[in-house]
Amino acid sequence: MLLKVDVTFGVVLAVLLVAAAGTAALAHLGRAREIATAGVRAAVQLGAVSLVIGWVVGSLPALLAFIVLMYAVAVRTAGRRITANRTWWWAALPIGAGVAPVVTALLLTGLVPVKGIALIPVTGILIGGALTATVLGGRRALDELGARRGEVEAGFAIGLPERDARLEVARPAAADALLPGLDQTRTVGLVTLPGAFVGMLLGGASPVFAGAVQLFVLVALMAVQAVAVSVVLELVARGRVHRDVA
């Protein structure tokens, strides 16, 4: 067992959460309340999932409903992180475009069975990766367009289409969203031992099999994130996702 879930576990967890929020507050990072709220929400949500997961994995309709719920929450979270206006719902496209083909291919090839115990964690990892890439790519692209508005307008002036002018400015910034996934893949086994690998080992799998599963997860994540960033960049360039100008 990796961790003992007892009173000490709860106390240490609470201390770490307070330390994280307190550090953010002392450094005036502006995220202290969000950190505290995120920690509490994670505890409640994981507790709820732990209670219903047994029922979900045993019923195909419940399994599909749970996956749709994961997707909907990811879309809402990513979209509202990118923009506060009604264009947030476009976040459904990059997340879906990244995750759906990969999951479909895994199911059709039989690499992942249509069983909750396998499909939920794999799909959850991929949706989480697409969420992160969509948020980072969308925010960085919009931030860059706002900071370099003059360059975009200069592109219009020399005859570039609006989409192309925005792409020239936003593409390098949006591409930075791929860096966390790239660095994680480059340093796996040397700097970090990711959760899938450790979980497989604790479950009794051989190191070779655990390594193969982790490699699969990392490569699949890079594919999902590359698609998600490309699609959200295109949406920003075409003006489908934007921020209201004050």
Side-chain angles (χ1 to χ4, degrees):
M1 184 180 295
L2 184 62
L3 289 173
K4 290 178 61 178
V5 182
D6 52 17
V7 175
T8 302
F9 171 83
V11 172
V12 172
L13 199 61
V15 170
L16 288 173
L17 183 57
V18 170
T23 301
L26 289 173
H28 302 289
L29 300 180
R31 301 290 185 184
R33 188 170 184 175
E34 289 185 51
I35 290 173
T37 302
V40 173
R41 280 188 58 175
V44 173
Q45 290 164 189
L46 286 173
V49 169
S50 299
L51 293 175
V52 303
I53 195 70
W55 171 67
V56 169
V57 299
S59 168
L60 182 58
L63 169 62
L64 296 177
F66 192 77
I67 291 174
V68 170
L69 176 63
M70 289 194 296
Y71 173 68
V73 172
V75 170
R76 173 75 178 181
T77 301
R80 300 303 287 181
R81 279 292 184 193
I82 296 172
T83 180
N85 62 35
R86 294 181 180 181
T87 63
W88 67 265
W89 67 268
W90 280 100
L93 195 54
I95 295 176
V99 174
V102 174
V103 173
T104 299
L106 295 177
L107 292 175
L108 291 177
T109 56
L111 288 176
V112 175
V114 187
K115 295 180 180 179
I117 200 65
L119 189 57
I120 287 178
V122 170
T123 306
I125 290 171
L126 297 180
I127 290 176
L131 184 159
T132 301
T134 299
V135 170
L136 292 177
R139 286 177 64 93
R140 289 288 289 118
L142 289 173
D143 288 345
E144 200 74 357
L145 289 176
R148 299 168 59 185
R149 188 178 303 171
E151 294 179 46
V152 177
E153 292 176 351
F156 298 163
I158 63 173
L160 284 178
E162 290 187 14
R163 170 187 173 274
D164 294 347
R166 293 192 183 105
L167 278 177
E168 286 298 316
V169 171
R171 184 185 285 116
D176 286 348
L178 298 176
L179 293 179
L182 286 172
D183 289 342
Q184 183 183 25
T185 303
R186 286 172 176 167
T187 61
V188 66
L190 299 176
V191 177
T192 60
L193 293 177
F197 179 79
V198 175
M200 294 291 293
L201 290 180
L202 293 175
S206 70
V208 173
F209 184 72
V213 171
Q214 185 60 67
L215 177 63
F216 156 74
V217 169
L218 290 172
V219 174
L221 271 175
M222 285 196 296
V224 167
Q225 292 179 335
V227 172
V229 171
S230 300
V231 173
V232 77
L233 174 61
E234 188 68 30
L235 291 172
V236 169
R238 292 179 180 272
R240 298 291 189 272
V241 177
H242 60 80
R243 291 174 181 158
D244 297 330
V245 180

